[in-house]
């Protein structure tokens, strides 16, 4: 039995503690926005926030989540798809197939939580997700555009 | 909400996840498709569709509130086809673009309706160029029917009515109505036999950088991919197939895992695979890891990369099974009388498509019906695979397409994952089962980019002009493995010569006075497939790097050298000149940065690239900037063309830098992104895209630019280091300056 707080909601899930958080989110909680692509912590498709920090949920046993920790998935990033990153993503048509995008957006959002004005090098280091469609140029522009809107005091 | 409907079948499925969880949260996505008249006439259920509106014609349904539903037969896998095709229908329809949404008809309906939507195949960069005329006609016919319905209502001649933005105006009387108001009446009319398509100069929507219709749900997790699908009562399956291609399943010990949590059943799948069915995929996957399996590895169990390499090497000089793809003049005498000859041999490795979303399909089977939900580049082929595996007539099966988490050619000609899903579902009649491959299964059971080698020999005269070129390709034929019916009568594979053809969609970009291009077919056991770009990827490296080699041997500037061969290839020359000019070719870039060029005609488009790279003393490569030009004839959505061009460099350069699958004991060794890496954002150059449509033809977008990525960078590496890299991936090469 795992107790999880996901997107502000408490859940009790009957599941083997070794199950990666990714699969609990997808299969027990139905939050399929968080994706499986490699399962070995290398591509970033499964990125969620634990207490605001980006983690790769495919290699994180659900038992390692501590009581009181708060998990945010792409579904909970904003109530209405209005996070500055989401707004920038829509304005720039960042996604192609879209499969990697929840992970990229969550990685970028965690970066902005810590560093509201990241440099290109910060982006390189922290948004190192794999995207086989190749959206990187627009991802970079999207992050910078979101920062601009945040600085302007608007939620973009 | 994205502006599209997701078709998950004739019933409304509750997406319920409380089956396993102690405290589940049931929720509904309310995915549904209105049941069309045809589906009803095929006897599928008596449910009334919630919004079963009559269609104006096969392409267009209009709701009373003026929402326009445009039907899209091709598949959306990231390339933007969905939006581009909708733009083309809407252009002729004269509807309000802001009220357009899309939906996929099913391949089963297409067959039942005499292929009214024609091809569902989404490959070969054909989505738009292969259907532009009939989808535009579909929009035009619908517009005329809507106009007629309004004219009938007002009892005026149709010729006095005009449509714009979903509003119909009768100017003489000042009356207006909307598409939504007359759609039902229009649906009763006979379609006009003849419609005029607009002159391209009158286009208002085609050619505009409108926003994609499918973006919003891709930014908040709402987009449902095949891997995400959850149907009521659904179980999950994980699979392993024999790791050696051509091998079989001998036995497995199900008893060892049957007691594991969630496990429902262990089943054989075809003659070469075994699957575990469980409540959740993680349970199925976990149990499968513990399942003892014995394989009959078959005749290829000892084959390794070195064997394959030797096989191809032999083809470079053999006379056996050699086919000529293009020839003119007399190469042998040109080589004999040359002032200088240049020779080089290149090799291109196996590569996996590595779509971000692993292969998957969901199937439910009963004795008289089979339904499948899957990502596919070709719904019709998926349906055929499903029907065959289901052992049912096609009329009793259907496939519901879901947007793909990447296709790249993997999900077009091959529906092995659909076949497997149906074979599994047959062993639990009535229960929907989702089969999802692990990344490891995906990496080791691909249909790989074929392996080839190419030996090129060039003849130069005293003035450094190219007088002859002999290219001998040795290696794998995709068609021999995948589409033998498309091969020549002599057993040749014409697409092996992509980019070397005399003319057509994949013509050579140069005039060479004496030319011979040959293919010695050598087919190792590792299955090849169509891989985004197909054979142009390696052929462009062979040709464009070798032309660079020739230019340097001739003591000429690579741009000048090319230009002299391109007098009869003005469109290729135009894109080449465009990138050279924008990049500042001829002026030093400074900062240790060097440039390389490449130009190709493929998929009927003309593309060129100029890459700027630097290489450190330690051999570290940095790709700083790429200027790319594309002439696709007509540019339907320029901002999406830019996105495809940028993405093409990621796909093409990932292949160049990292893409190599090796074979040991008959098995592909690379199993995941740790040993089959893909480019990341820190390696991504700036890309400046020049879209320069010259009109009068329709070229592809999704694939052409991939071909120029690698050779442009390789030629720049030579400029920076003096090193010619002829074997790939690049990560195996020592780039320290010579
Ligand atoms: S799926 Fe978790 S990092 Fe790739
Ligand atoms: S958008 Fe397709 S993998 Fe990133």
């Amino acid at each position: 039995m795992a107790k999880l707080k996901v997107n502000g909601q408490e859940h009790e899930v009957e599941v083997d503690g070794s199950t990666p958080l990714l699969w609990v989110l997808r299969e027990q909680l139905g939050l399929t926005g968080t994706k499986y692509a490699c399962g070995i912590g290398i591509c970033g498709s499964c990125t969620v926030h634990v207490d605001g920090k980006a983690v790769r949920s495919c290699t994180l046993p659900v038992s390692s989540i501590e009581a009181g920790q708060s998990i945010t998935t792409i579904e909970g990033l904003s109530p209405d798809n209005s996070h500055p990153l989401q707004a920038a993503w829509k304005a720039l048509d960042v996604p192609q197939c879209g499969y990697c995008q929840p992970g990229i957006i969550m990685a970028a959002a965690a970066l902005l939580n810590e560093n509201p004005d990241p440099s290109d090098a910060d982006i390189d280091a922290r948004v190192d997700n794999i995207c086989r469609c190749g959206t990187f140029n627009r991802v970079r522009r999207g992050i910078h555009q979101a920062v601009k809107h945040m600085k302007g005091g608007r939620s973009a | 909400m994205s502006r599209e409907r997701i078709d998950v079948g004739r019933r409304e499925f509750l997406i319920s996840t409380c089956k396993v969880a102690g405290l589940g949260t049931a929720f509904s996505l309310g995915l549904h498709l209105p049941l069309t008249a045809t589906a009803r006439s095929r006897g599928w259920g008596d449910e009334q569709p919630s919004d079963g509106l009559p269609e104006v014609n096969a392409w267009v349904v209009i709701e009373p509130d003026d929402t326009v539903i445009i039907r899209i037969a091709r598949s959306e896998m990231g390339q933007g086809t969905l939006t581009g095709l909708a733009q083309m229908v809407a252009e002729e329809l004269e509807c309000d673009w802001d009220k357009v949404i899309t939906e996929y008809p099913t391949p089963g309906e297409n067959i039942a309706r005499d292929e009214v939507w024609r091809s569902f195949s989404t490959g070969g960069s054909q989505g738009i160029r292969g259907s532009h005329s009939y989808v535009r006609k579909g929009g035009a016919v619908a517009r005329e029917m809507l106009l007629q319905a309004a004219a009938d209502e007002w009892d005026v001649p149709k010729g006095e009515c005009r449509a714009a933005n979903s509003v119909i105006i009768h100017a003489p009387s000042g009356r207006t109505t909307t598409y939504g108001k007359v759609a039902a009446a229009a649906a009763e009319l006979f379609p006009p036999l003849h419609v005029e398509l607009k002159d391209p100069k009158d286009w208002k929507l085609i050619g505009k950088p409108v926003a994609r219709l499918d973006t919003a749900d891709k930014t908040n997790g709402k987009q449902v991919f095949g891997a995400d699908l959850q149907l009521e009562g659904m179980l999950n399956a994980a699979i392993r197939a024999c790791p050696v291609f051509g091998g079989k399943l001998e036995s497995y010990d199900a008893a060892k895992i049957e007691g594991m949590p969630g496990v429902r059943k262990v089943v054989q799948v075809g003659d070469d695979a075994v699957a575990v069915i469980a409540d959740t995929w993680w349970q199925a996957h976990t149990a499968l890891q513990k399942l003892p399996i014995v394989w009959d590895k078959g005749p290829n169990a000892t084959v390794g990369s070195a064997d394959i390499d030797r096989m191809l090497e032999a083809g470079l000089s053999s006379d056996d099974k050699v086919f000529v793809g293009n020839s003119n003049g007399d190469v042998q005498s040109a080589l004999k009388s040359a002032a200088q000859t240049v020779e080089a041999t290149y090799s291109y490795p196996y590569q996996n498509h590595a779509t971000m979303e692993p292969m998957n399909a969901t199937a439910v089977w009963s004795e008289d019906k089979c339904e499948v939900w899957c990502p596919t580049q070709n719904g019709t082929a998926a349906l055929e695979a499903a029907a065959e595996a289901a052992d049912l007539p096609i009329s009793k099966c259907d496939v519901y397409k879901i947007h793909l988490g990447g296709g790249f050619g993997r999900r077009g000609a091959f529906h092995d994952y659909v076949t497997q899903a149906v074979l599994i579902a047959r062993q639990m009649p009535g229960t929907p089962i989702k089969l999802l491959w692990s990344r490891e299964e995906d990496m080791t059971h691909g249909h790989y980019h074929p392996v080839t080698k190419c030996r090129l020999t060039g003849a130069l005269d005293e003035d450094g002009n190219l007088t002859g070129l002999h290219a001998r390709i040795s290696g794998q034929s995709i068609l021999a493995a995948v589409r033998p019916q498309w091969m020549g009568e002599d057993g040749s594979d014409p697409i092996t010569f992509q980019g070397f053809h005399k003319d057509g969609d994949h013509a050579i970009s140069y005039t060479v006075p004496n030319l011979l291009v040959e293919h010695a077919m050598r087919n190792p056991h590792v299955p090849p497939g169509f891989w985004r770009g197909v054979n142009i990827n390696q052929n462009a490296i062979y040709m464009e790097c070798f032309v660079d080699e020739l230019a340097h041997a001739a003591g000429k500037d690579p741009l000048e050298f090319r230009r002299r061969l391109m007098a009869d290839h003005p469109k290729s020359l135009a894109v080449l000149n465009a990138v050279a000019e924008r990049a500042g070719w001829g002026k030093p870039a400074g900062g240790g940065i060097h440039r390389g060029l490449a130009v190709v005609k493929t998929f009927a488009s003309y593309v060129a690239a100029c890459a700027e790279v630097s290489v450190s003393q330690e051999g570290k490569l940095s790709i700083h900037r790429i200027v790319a030009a594309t002439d696709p004839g007509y540019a339907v959505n320029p901002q999406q063309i830019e996105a495809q061009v940028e993405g093409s460099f990621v796909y093409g350069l990932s292949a160049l830098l990292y893409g190599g699958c090796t074979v040991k004991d008959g098995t592909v060794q690379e199993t995941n992104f740790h040993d089959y890496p893909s480019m990341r954002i820190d390696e991504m150059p700036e890309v400046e895209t020049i879209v320069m449509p010259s009109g009068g033809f329709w070229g592809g977008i999704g694939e052409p630019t991939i071909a120029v990525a690698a050779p442009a960078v390789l030629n720049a590496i030579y400029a920076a280091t003096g090193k010619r890299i002829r074997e790939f991936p690049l990560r195996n090469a020592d780039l320290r300056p010579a």
Side-chain angles (χ1 to χ4, degrees):
Chain A
M1 176 83 85
K3 281 192 179 181
L4 296 174
K5 187 174 173 194
V6 182
N7 301 332
Q9 255 192 295
E10 305 276 357
H11 300 270
E12 280 182 37
V13 189
E14 228 166 86
V15 68
D16 189 299
S18 66
T19 307
L21 176 62
L22 169 65
W23 295 101
V24 176
L25 294 171
R26 289 177 57 80
E27 301 197 293
Q28 265 81 24
L29 303 182
L31 297 170
T32 55
T34 307
K35 304 300 182 202
Y36 163 74
C38 75
I40 58 170
I42 212 166
C43 77
S45 296
C46 62
T47 303
V48 300
H49 296 177
V50 175
D51 289 341
K53 300 230 182 318
V55 299
R56 294 186 171 175
S57 62
C58 67
T59 49
L60 192 72
V62 68
S63 59
S64 70
I65 302 288
E66 290 164 23
Q69 282 192 317
S70 164
I71 297 162
T72 308
T73 70
I74 185 73
E75 291 90 347
L77 184 64
S78 70
D80 51 1
N81 209 355
S82 65
H83 186 283
L85 286 167
Q86 292 170 320
W89 251 237
K90 284 182 278 180
L92 297 175
D93 262 354
V94 174
Q96 290 188 27
C97 83
Y99 195 79
C100 70
Q101 297 294 327
I104 292 186
I105 292 171
M106 293 308 281
L111 170 63
L112 296 187
N113 282 347
E114 284 167 46
N115 178 354
D117 194 4
S119 66
D120 278 333
D122 296 329
I123 294 172
D124 287 349
R126 295 288 301 278
V127 189
D128 60 341
N129 303 45
I130 293 178
C131 169
R132 292 287 287 163
C133 295
T135 59
F136 300 132
N137 299 99
R138 289 188 186 199
V139 164
R140 192 185 297 286
R141 272 162 58 202
I143 296 172
H144 287 310
Q145 181 158 320
V147 165
K148 220 157 96 195
H149 282 276
M150 282 158 61
K151 277 189 186 159
R154 287 180 288 149
S155 65
Chain B
M1 188 57 192
S2 284
R3 289 163 60 187
E4 43 167 346
R5 281 173 192 226
I6 300 162
D7 168 2
V8 298
R10 65 197 174 78
R11 287 170 289 178
E12 184 146 348
F13 279 97
L14 267 193
I15 307 261
S16 158
T17 56
C18 51
K19 294 179 295 294
V20 189
L23 268 184
T25 33
F27 60 97
S28 156
L29 272 186
L31 301 169
H32 71 286
L33 175 77
L35 186 64
T36 64
T38 314
R40 277 199 300 278
S41 70
R42 297 173 80 205
W44 283 6
D46 330 298
E47 308 94 321
Q48 269 308 308
S50 51
D51 48 357
L53 295 161
E55 60 185 33
V56 179
N57 65 1
W59 302 96
V60 176
V61 178
I62 298 177
E63 300 188 344
D65 69 354
D66 291 329
T67 300
V68 174
I69 302 163
I70 293 179
R71 303 243 176 84
I72 306 290
R74 313 274 178 154
S75 301
E76 178 58 52
M77 50 190 164
Q79 83 283 35
T81 283
L82 182 92
T83 306
L85 289 171
Q87 277 176 266
M88 293 205 284
V89 174
E91 175 73 58
E92 294 289 343
L93 183 59
E94 299 287 2
C95 64
D96 181 352
W97 176 250
D98 292 337
K99 291 200 163 172
V100 167
I101 64 173
T102 62
E103 71 181 17
Y104 288 139
T106 74
E109 286 175 86
N110 193 40
I111 290 170
R113 294 182 64 176
D114 227 0
E115 308 212 353
V116 65
W117 293 288
R118 306 217 199 171
S119 176
F120 277 49
S121 170
T122 316
S125 294
Q126 282 285 354
I128 285 179
R129 71 190 176 108
S131 58
H132 62 87
S133 76
Y134 61 78
V135 299
R136 285 185 291 148
K137 190 171 167 217
V141 166
R143 177 198 65 222
E144 290 304 306
M145 292 165 76
L146 291 157
L147 283 170
Q148 187 66 57
D152 290 351
E153 191 184 312
W154 294 327
D155 200 15
V156 300
K158 186 179 76 167
E160 291 180 1
C161 300
R162 292 274 167 279
N165 255 348
S166 296
V167 176
I168 300 170
I169 302 165
H170 181 244
S173 65
R175 277 176 293 192
T176 66
T177 186
T178 69
Y179 278 5
K181 294 201 179 94
V182 297
E188 302 292 320
L189 299 174
F190 279 104
L193 292 175
H194 181 74
V195 286
E196 287 285 332
L197 293 184
K198 285 185 188 174
D199 190 304
K201 71 173 169 24
D202 299 324
W203 286 340
K204 292 177 292 202
L205 201 51
I206 299 177
K208 292 285 168 315
V210 300
R212 291 175 69 120
L213 299 174
D214 56 344
T215 293
D217 283 357
K218 291 180 175 177
T219 60
N220 60 3
K222 277 206 181 130
Q223 177 69 58
V224 174
F225 294 89
D228 303 330
L229 197 71
Q230 298 186 21
L231 307 179
E232 206 164 276
M234 186 186 87
L235 297 176
N236 290 271
I239 196 162
R240 278 195 75 191
C242 184
V244 182
F245 308 103
K248 307 252 176 289
L249 175 69
E250 200 167 283
S251 64
Y252 56 91
D253 187 357
K256 286 269 188 314
I257 61 164
E258 269 164 0
M260 287 182 69
V263 172
R264 299 287 191 105
K265 204 168 184 180
V266 184
V267 297
Q268 174 159 355
V269 187
D271 61 3
D272 68 345
V274 55
V276 176
I277 304 170
D279 292 335
T280 69
W281 187 80
W282 182 252
Q283 291 168 332
H285 175 72
T286 306
L288 182 60
Q289 313 295 309
K290 299 236 155 65
L291 179 68
I293 308 172
V294 180
W295 303 110
D296 164 9
K297 294 188 176 169
N300 305 311
T302 59
V303 178
S305 286
D307 304 303
I308 295 171
D309 203 63
R310 272 193 296 275
M311 188 177 176
L312 268 55
E313 186 69 38
L316 289 175
S317 49
S318 151
D319 290 332
D320 186 34
K321 276 214 251 162
V322 176
F323 305 102
V324 174
N326 193 357
S327 79
N328 54 261
D330 180 351
V331 163
Q332 293 315 328
S333 21
L335 286 167
K336 265 194 215 108
S337 59
Q340 190 190 163
T341 61
V342 181
E343 185 181 292
T345 302
Y346 287 78
S347 305
Y348 199 86
Y350 282 119
Q351 293 167 335
N352 192 298
H353 298 83
T355 59
M356 216 60 206
E357 178 197 25
M359 297 307 114
N360 68 83
T362 302
V364 56
W365 182 92
S366 65
E367 261 169 38
D368 58 0
K369 190 165 65 186
C370 179
E371 291 172 288
V372 172
W373 295 257
C374 66
T376 171
Q377 290 176 242
N378 187 342
T380 309
L383 176 58
E384 285 162 3
E388 195 187 327
D391 197 19
L392 287 169
I394 280 190
S395 59
K396 299 203 164 187
C397 304
D398 212 348
V399 165
Y400 307 103
K401 299 198 303 171
I402 304 176
H403 288 349
L404 295 77
F408 312 132
R410 177 63 180 84
R411 291 170 159 128
F414 315 102
H415 290 88
D416 37 1
Y417 54 100
V418 171
T419 300
Q420 289 175 343
V422 173
L423 292 177
I424 294 168
R426 279 181 71 171
Q427 303 184 56
M428 274 202 167
T431 302
I433 297 178
K434 177 167 73 185
L435 169 68
L436 171 66
W437 289 15
S438 66
R439 173 61 56 194
E440 288 75 16
E441 190 68 13
D442 197 290
M443 288 297 298
T444 53
H445 294 85
H447 294 265
Y448 301 83
H449 193 300
V451 278
T452 63
K453 288 179 182 290
C454 186
R455 177 167 297 157
L456 301 112
T457 317
L460 297 167
D461 67 14
E462 312 73 54
D463 300 324
N465 296 307
L466 180 64
T467 54
L469 177 69
H470 178 198
R472 161 66 73 90
I473 300 165
S474 169
Q476 207 163 10
S477 155
I478 300 174
L479 295 190
V482 183
R483 291 276 185 275
Q485 65 275 26
W486 293 357
M487 297 177 81
E489 271 176 24
D490 56 353
S492 62
D493 174 349
I495 67 165
T496 314
F497 299 106
Q498 199 183 347
F500 282 116
H501 291 295
K502 206 176 282 298
D503 41 37
D505 287 359
H506 309 276
I508 191 167
S509 302
Y510 306 110
T511 305
V512 184
N514 299 286
L515 177 73
L516 177 62
V517 187
E518 305 165 304
H519 174 218
M521 192 182 294
R522 297 293 182 273
N523 292 326
H525 80 290
V526 176
F530 302 101
W531 192 101
R532 193 175 179 191
V534 193
N535 287 306
I536 194 65
N537 302 316
Q538 74 273 23
N539 288 351
I541 290 179
Y542 302 157
M543 188 64 187
E544 285 303 292
C545 290
F546 191 65
V547 164
D548 214 69
E549 294 201 40
L550 289 166
H552 285 280
K556 298 255 190 299
D557 173 79
L559 175 61
E560 276 315 309
F561 186 82
R562 283 181 172 83
R563 279 176 174 161
R564 285 213 235 170
L565 303 169
M566 295 176 77
D568 294 331
H569 304 270
K571 287 184 194 283
S572 296
L573 183 61
V575 287
L576 181 66
N577 283 337
V579 296
E581 190 185 324
R582 172 75 70 86
W585 186 268
K587 297 179 215 103
I593 291 174
H594 296 266
R595 297 194 182 104
L597 291 170
V599 59
V600 155
K601 179 189 183 189
T602 192
F603 300 97
S605 285
Y606 303 83
V607 294
C610 180
E612 296 187 344
V613 315
S614 63
V615 180
S616 74
Q617 285 305 313
E618 297 74 43
K620 188 178 168 353
L621 169 71
S622 303
I623 308 168
H624 301 275
R625 172 189 181 222
I626 289 178
V627 178
T630 298
D631 176 2
Y634 294 109
V636 174
N637 188 329
Q639 68 102 349
Q640 279 305 300
I641 293 175
E642 286 174 19
Q644 284 305 295
V645 168
E646 289 168 9
S648 291
F649 286 103
V650 177
Y651 207 67
L653 294 178
S654 291
L656 172 67
L657 299 173
Y658 304 116
C661 296
T662 56
V663 181
K664 192 171 164 243
D665 300 333
T667 302
V668 163
Q669 296 297 292
E670 289 71 21
T671 59
N672 206 319
F673 289 120
H674 67 294
D675 51 11
Y676 190 83
S678 193
M679 219 170 138
R680 297 177 194 250
I681 199 167
D682 62 330
E683 299 165 290
M684 185 67 201
E686 272 176 53
V687 177
E688 291 173 36
T689 306
I690 306 167
V691 183
M692 42 190 287
S694 59
F697 66 98
W698 293 80
I701 294 298
E703 293 171 277
T705 300
I706 292 169
V708 287
V713 166
L714 287 165
N715 291 337
I717 289 173
Y718 177 79
T721 64
K723 282 191 168 174
R724 281 289 168 201
I725 311 299
R726 303 189 186 96
E727 295 194 1
F728 313 108
L730 216 48
R731 68 167 166 156
N732 300 333
D734 176 3
L735 294 185
R736 282 173 299 182

